[in-house]
Amino acid sequence: MDKVIYAYNLSLAYNDRETIINDTSFSVESGSFVFITGASGSGKSTLLKSFYGAIAPKRGDLIVGGVELHNIAPKKLNLLRRHIGIVFQNYRLVNEWTIEKNVMLPLIISGYSKEVSTTQVEKLLRHVKLSHQTGKYPQELSGGEQQRVAMARALSHNPILILADEPTGNLDDYSSQVIWNLLQGANLQLKTTVVVVTHNIPKTLNLEYKHFHLENGVLNEVL
Amino acid sequence: MKSFKNHLSLIMAIVTILFSLQIFTITERAIDAYESNLKENYSIVVVSEKKIAPKTFQQMHPLIKKSEPIAADHVLKTIKLQMKETNIKLLKTALPKFYRIHLSKFPSPDQIDAITDAIKQHAGVTRVESFENSHNTTYKLLLLFKQVVLVLAVFIFIVTSLLMLKEMRIWQFQHTERMSIMALFGAPVWLRSAVLFRLAVIDALLATLITAIVFIGIVNYGWIESELEVIGIHITIFDLLSDGVTMLILALGLSVFLATMIVLGHKEEV
């Protein structure tokens, strides 16, 4: 099976003194669903950031979508990011844009025509049950609805990989379940690789997943 | 409505800057017009035993623009009735020549001294009247006006700089998050910045339009013009073509500068 993420002896650090991820090796297969757990401050989010090139490897190899991230050129990194969908705990929607435009963002960046983009956005907003909210702004929506918009945005450009950082951290049980269902649907129906950083793995998931636990800067698979 | 609110803060800052600039321009025009009035009304009177050609006067000092002889006829007219025609003719030839000297700009007291000395050196000149005392009072008043305008200009510059700094912070706050989000989805720098530059251009156009409308209103109301006319100053308060274009260039320059600073100052998120 193809590897979407491949790390070998990977070390990550924000500065020279403090190493967050230390000499760790792992891989994520294409089409898999992966959870990364760990205590607060263990470096889960830092590791996730390294997958979309927001933090560069200090040592070792990190290959995402077949692209080596060590010393990657900005142009190449932009191209890689156009194949990744990201979901954050705090949604990170553009507040001055309507939800329609927010969902359309990756499509605009990838250069899709307006016609194709509009059709895709309509389809996705129907999928996340927000088609009646199209013209609204993020702040007019509840937290759960905003996260559904973020999910629609992450899915809009048919990415090969979805990275989710505590996607249900700010949500109630019902909204959390909706988000898990969407992530599960993306993985099962679209065969999109999903990597989720979380404190708790939901018990209601109906799929096979891989579980990595991060402790003392080292990522170990939980069997 | 929401979009308008996002634009409003920058538009208001630019309108303030453009308004200050136009007020400064009007003040400068008024002072220039006043100085020009003074220059037109000011002249040096020269008394000479010999006839002096206009070109000779111009060679005496670079500030001398033109000279004109003062006709003695109106002086002689009053005594004409009491004198014989032959005596009048005799008196006319015996009278010295009077000249009025006009200058190319309103002179400083030092320049007046220099001009007076230069004229006096010419053979035949017996007297030069520069009306020094009244000139000095007027000159000092003009100097005071100019200093007030300079202080105003410095004040406007400081206020403008503070406004721009404040606006830059607001813009950084407003646009950094959107640019970061766009970067996360792989938007190239030009696309991330395109929104910002488009906003900058729209806001600059709107700010110019608002300021131009305000000044067209002021011109139509005519209050400032009538106040200036009382002291004999006739100036253009707002010229849509020249002032409008200057405003547009300044507004575009400022907002594009702001946008560029934000783009350059934007750091990739870690």
Side-chain angles (χ1 to χ4, degrees), chain A residues 49 52 54 81-82 92 96, chain B residues 177-178 183 186 268-270:
Chain A
K49 281 178 181 179
Y52 56 86
R81 284 178 176 178
R82 287 176 208 174
R92 297 204 64 181
E96 61 267 28
Chain B
E177 176 67 357
R178 189 194 59 239
E268 192 67 37
E269 187 183 342
V270 284

Side-chain angles (χ1 to χ4, degrees), chain B:
Chain B
M1 190 62 197
K2 191 177 172 71
S3 173
F4 179 71
K5 273 183 191 168
N6 288 336
H7 285 267
L8 200 63
S9 58
L10 181 70
I11 291 172
M12 286 322 291
I14 300 176
V15 165
T16 313
I17 290 163
L18 295 182
F19 196 84
S20 311
L21 171 87
Q22 192 58 26
I23 293 289
F24 179 66
T25 309
I26 293 169
T27 317
E28 230 187 21
R29 274 180 197 157
I31 287 179
D32 282 349
Y34 184 63
E35 197 172 341
S36 177
N37 276 359
L38 288 176
K39 184 196 79 187
E40 292 302 322
N41 295 330
Y42 178 76
S43 59
I44 294 170
V45 174
V46 176
V47 185
S48 173
E49 286 170 347
K50 291 177 186 170
K51 204 171 178 181
I52 304 172
K55 211 170 182 182
T56 314
F57 273 117
Q58 282 172 345
Q59 284 164 351
M60 288 179 192
H61 197 278
L63 272 185
I64 296 175
K65 189 180 156 193
K66 62 172 185 178
S67 64
E68 54 183 14
I70 302 171
D73 293 355
H74 71 281
V75 182
L76 295 172
K77 209 185 250 179
T78 53
I79 51 174
K80 209 173 180 179
L81 299 169
Q82 299 145 24
M83 291 179 89
K84 284 179 184 171
E85 191 64 27
T86 47
N87 288 344
I88 295 270
K89 275 182 185 168
L90 212 65
L91 186 66
K92 216 173 182 178
T93 49
L95 267 178
K97 313 289 175 208
F98 294 89
Y99 296 97
R100 183 173 281 119
I101 309 290
H102 294 278
L103 306 179
S104 56
K105 70 181 259 288
F106 193 64
S108 69
D110 288 345
Q111 283 169 330
I112 286 187
D113 289 345
I115 294 165
T116 310
D117 289 346
I119 297 170
K120 273 181 179 168
Q121 276 172 12
H122 192 270
V125 173
T126 54
R127 193 173 168 162
V128 179
E129 183 51 72
S130 62
F131 311 100
E132 211 170 340
N133 286 339
S134 68
H135 164 271
N136 282 358
T137 314
T138 318
Y139 186 80
K140 278 173 189 163
L141 197 67
L142 187 70
L143 217 61
L144 180 74
F145 275 163
K146 280 190 167 179
Q147 275 167 353
V148 168
V149 172
L150 187 72
V151 170
L152 186 75
V154 171
F155 179 74
I156 288 171
F157 178 76
I158 293 167
V159 172
T160 306
S161 305
L162 290 173
L163 268 171
M164 277 182 66
L165 277 174
K166 192 174 183 301
E167 202 48 44
M168 244 167 93
R169 286 198 191 109
I170 294 169
W171 269 44
Q172 249 160 355
F173 178 75
Q174 278 183 345
H175 299 286
T176 301
E177 176 67 357
R178 189 194 59 239
M179 287 168 77
S180 296
I181 293 167
M182 290 179 84
L184 289 173
F185 286 90
V189 176
W190 70 264
L191 188 61
R192 280 178 246 167
S193 322
V195 183
L196 198 61
F197 282 104
R198 200 182 63 211
L199 282 175
V201 170
I202 291 171
D203 289 359
L205 289 172
L206 284 173
T208 309
L209 192 70
I210 291 168
T211 319
I213 289 170
V214 169
F215 276 99
I216 288 168
I218 289 171
V219 170
N220 285 339
Y221 186 62
W223 170 71
I224 295 182
E225 272 170 331
S226 62
E227 287 293 313
L228 289 171
E229 273 166 17
V230 171
I231 51 168
I233 292 172
H234 305 276
I235 55 160
T236 309
I237 300 292
F238 180 73
D239 178 56
L240 189 62
L241 204 66
S242 67
D243 293 341
V245 169
T246 310
M247 276 183 181
L248 185 64
I249 291 169
L250 180 75
L252 281 172
L254 277 173
S255 50
V256 169
F257 170 74
L258 269 175
T260 311
M261 292 304 285
I262 303 234
V263 171
L264 292 177
H266 179 72
K267 283 179 187 157
E268 192 67 37
E269 187 183 342
V270 284

